[in-house]
Amino acid sequence: MKPLTGRQQSILDYIARFMDDNDYPPTIRDIQAELTISSTSVVDYNLKVIEERGYIRRNRNISRGIELVQRDRSRRGSSMLSIPIVGQIAAGLPIPVPGDLESMGTGEDADVLEVGPELIGGNPAGVFALRVRGHSMVDALINDGDIVVLRRQETAQNGETVAVWLREERETTLKKFFLEGENVRLQPANVTMEPIYTRADNVEIQGKLVSVHRSIS
Amino acid sequence: MKPLTGRQQSILDYIARFMDDNDYPPTIRDIQAELTISSTSVVDYNLKVIEERGYIRRNRNISRGIELVQRDRSRRGSSMLSIPIVGQIAAGLPIPVPGDLESMGTGEDADVLEVGPELIGGNPAGVFALRVRGHSMVDALINDGDIVVLRRQETAQNGETVAVWLREERETTLKKFFLEGENVRLQPANVTMEPIYTRADNVEIQGKLVSVHRSIS
DNA sequence: CATAGCATCGAACGGATGTTCCAGTCAATG
DNA sequence: CATTGACTGGAACATCCGTTCGATGCTATG
């Protein structure tokens, strides 16, 4: 993107400020008044330049027809993910099955975790969050009160960290998954701790761990 | 909030749809054309009603001067925080001092962590993020590659988790802080591990731990 | 100096847009 | 039936606002 002159940068800055305040773009005369430019044609001229440089998009013959292309990306919820916190995860409890994520996901009053997409990395579909109860997952460096984000899936590649339900033990755990013949090795994230070995048909994969979030009260 | 008639609800819906598509509000005549209403005065009349009901705000004599009050809350990046990742934190390294957070904070290319405000809880001023290097903080349930969010402060209340620089040992650590007379007890978050005791003038508080984020590759 | 390109300026034009006034329609009510 | 209130129509009016045009500097460039 080509650089802008000082005046053009001022105009662009003002447009951004104006839209933050007012929810709608400024008119050419708004810009003219703010920057004490003597003529609307000067503003129009510079807006054309800014548009050619790619910073804004203009809708001809439409009042306030200025859109910031820059902002569409970083701005707003468009790049913001609201992940529903559908329940709790604890050692002795099976992972709750989120009914239909779509309908409850963006509900106003529902408990949601808002994060940027860089922490999810990939398609946000099928992703949900659970609040951790108890200290049973400290071996995975996960504390009581943490929020874990999982992607629902029933199989796993070797090395992926997954939430599994152990049928015999009747408990949930969060470990790295390795299929070794008939058996499964479940390795804690904390390298100083020992893995669990069990039969493959004893583990029921609930989802893949996507991210962990801890807010200090 | 009082209910709306069908036509008024249609108008409100269309305004919301229009603003999603265009980044600016519709004109009265846009609404008129979309809903095939025969007169602009009908739209104006209904907009006045909708405004009285509290669903929108209108700016008189301003083109496209319609704002959705509903959206201001849940809307977009307004409630989204971009926290700059200003460096790394490791056992043997002092915490980098962020120069001026404001100027570099929202830079386009700067590495930023985007999270919702519920994970920060409080004023986002003076908050910055660091990427964790090494496994020296597993006792605080923090792994290599995690991102920690800190609020810059040089003092701490007992019980707060803080990032401290130990002058003698020349290393950084992240522990719960307890001032006990002349000495300081630094307690790991992991309850199974032993605390560190040291003189108060050996600890240099760098900031208070606000949150921890881990993204599984 | 002549020329060209860039940025600015002032003014006017014309379409876009909010506002207002008056006349209706329709259902509910007495 | 008359009245009232909520709502819709049609048209005109007054700005608001984007666009265009001619003119003026200003800075290279040759």
Side-chain angles (χ1 to χ4, degrees):
Chain A
M1 256 195 267
K2 294 180 181 177
L4 299 176
T5 69
R7 188 170 239 177
Q8 287 155 6
Q9 191 62 51
S10 300
I11 293 176
L12 193 57
D13 290 344
Y14 175 65
I15 295 171
R17 237 182 311 131
F18 189 99
M19 291 186 70
D20 278 343
D21 293 344
N22 292 307
D23 262 26
Y24 48 80
T27 66
I28 286 182
R29 283 176 175 82
D30 286 332
I31 299 170
Q32 179 194 8
E34 170 70 15
L35 304 184
T36 51
I37 297 173
S38 59
S39 173
T40 58
S41 64
V42 177
V43 179
D44 183 64
Y45 169 80
N46 283 292
L47 284 178
K48 281 177 183 166
V49 175
I50 297 174
E51 184 182 21
E52 285 173 3
R53 299 281 193 278
Y55 294 89
I56 62 174
R57 197 172 341 111
R58 292 186 76 190
N59 300 275
R60 294 314 176 84
N61 297 316
I62 295 284
S63 71
R64 305 176 189 275
I66 303 173
E67 299 179 57
L68 294 175
V69 301
Q70 184 74 315
R71 304 212 132 198
D72 282 345
R73 182 167 45 79
S74 66
R75 198 195 181 196
R76 320 190 153 190
S78 59
S79 69
M80 177 74 157
L81 303 175
S82 292
I83 300 171
I85 301 176
V86 298
Q88 303 184 351
I89 177 173
L93 298 173
I95 291 179
V97 177
D100 47 339
L101 293 174
E102 286 68 23
S103 70
M104 62 189 302
T106 55
E108 293 296 336
D109 49 335
D111 208 3
V112 295
L113 174 76
E114 292 181 288
V115 296
E118 75 276 8
L119 288 174
I120 301 304
N123 196 326
V127 168
F128 60 100
L130 299 172
R131 198 177 300 274
V132 175
R133 289 296 168 217
H135 295 85
S136 65
M137 298 176 189
V138 288
D139 60 347
L141 295 175
I142 293 173
N143 206 0
D144 181 47
D146 286 6
I147 293 173
V148 294
V149 176
L150 301 174
R151 173 173 287 117
R152 177 153 295 283
Q153 61 185 48
E154 295 170 353
T155 60
Q157 304 291 316
N158 277 355
E160 288 185 345
T161 301
V162 293
V164 301
W165 172 249
L166 298 176
R167 289 197 176 89
E168 281 183 8
E169 295 83 351
R170 300 196 58 77
E171 66 176 45
T172 299
T173 187
L174 212 50
K175 299 226 175 13
K176 282 195 179 181
F177 174 92
F178 294 93
L179 181 61
E180 300 181 335
E182 294 286 306
N183 293 328
V184 168
R185 185 174 96 238
L186 297 174
Q187 181 96 38
N190 188 334
V191 292
T192 67
M193 304 193 73
E194 293 301 312
I196 295 175
Y197 293 91
T198 186
R199 293 196 327 281
D201 61 0
N202 187 37
V203 308
E204 196 171 303
I205 297 176
Q206 302 289 329
K208 175 188 168 187
L209 182 62
V210 173
S211 64
V212 182
H213 306 270
R214 178 181 312 146
S215 179
I216 313 299
S217 56
Chain B
M1 256 196 267
K2 295 180 181 177
L4 300 176
T5 69
R7 188 169 240 178
Q8 287 156 5
Q9 190 62 51
S10 299
I11 292 176
L12 193 56
D13 290 343
Y14 176 63
I15 294 172
R17 237 181 312 131
F18 190 98
M19 291 185 70
D20 278 343
D21 292 345
N22 292 308
D23 262 24
Y24 49 80
T27 66
I28 286 183
R29 283 176 176 81
D30 286 333
I31 299 171
Q32 179 195 7
E34 171 70 16
L35 304 184
T36 50
I37 297 172
S38 59
S39 174
T40 58
S41 64
V42 176
V43 179
D44 183 64
Y45 168 81
N46 283 292
L47 284 177
K48 280 177 184 167
V49 176
I50 297 175
E51 184 182 22
E52 285 173 4
R53 299 281 193 278
Y55 293 90
I56 62 173
R57 199 171 340 110
R58 292 186 75 190
N59 300 274
R60 293 313 174 84
N61 297 317
I62 294 285
S63 72
R64 305 176 189 275
I66 303 174
E67 300 180 56
L68 294 175
V69 302
Q70 182 75 315
R71 305 211 133 197
D72 282 345
R73 177 166 48 82
S74 66
R75 196 192 179 197
R76 317 199 157 185
S78 59
S79 68
M80 177 74 159
L81 303 175
S82 292
I83 299 170
I85 301 176
V86 297
Q88 303 184 350
I89 178 173
L93 297 173
I95 290 180
V97 177
D100 47 341
L101 292 175
E102 285 67 23
S103 70
M104 62 189 301
T106 54
E108 291 298 333
D109 49 336
D111 211 2
V112 296
L113 174 75
E114 292 181 288
V115 296
E118 75 276 7
L119 288 175
I120 302 304
N123 195 328
V127 168
F128 60 101
L130 298 172
R131 199 177 300 273
V132 175
R133 288 296 168 218
H135 295 85
S136 66
M137 298 175 188
V138 289
D139 59 349
L141 295 176
I142 292 173
N143 205 1
D144 181 46
D146 286 5
I147 294 173
V148 294
V149 176
L150 302 174
R151 173 172 287 117
R152 177 152 295 284
Q153 62 185 49
E154 294 171 353
T155 61
Q157 304 291 317
N158 276 355
E160 287 185 345
T161 300
V162 291
V164 301
W165 171 250
L166 298 176
R167 289 197 176 89
E168 282 184 7
E169 293 84 349
R170 299 196 59 75
E171 67 175 45
T172 299
T173 187
L174 211 51
K175 301 236 178 354
K176 283 195 178 181
F177 175 91
F178 293 94
L179 182 60
E180 300 180 334
E182 295 286 306
N183 293 329
V184 168
R185 183 174 97 239
L186 297 175
Q187 183 94 38
N190 187 335
V191 292
T192 67
M193 302 192 75
E194 293 301 314
I196 295 175
Y197 293 92
T198 186
R199 294 196 325 281
D201 60 0
N202 188 38
V203 308
E204 196 172 302
I205 296 176
Q206 303 289 329
K208 174 187 169 187
L209 182 62
V210 172
S211 63
V212 181
H213 306 268
R214 179 182 312 144
S215 181
I216 313 300
S217 56

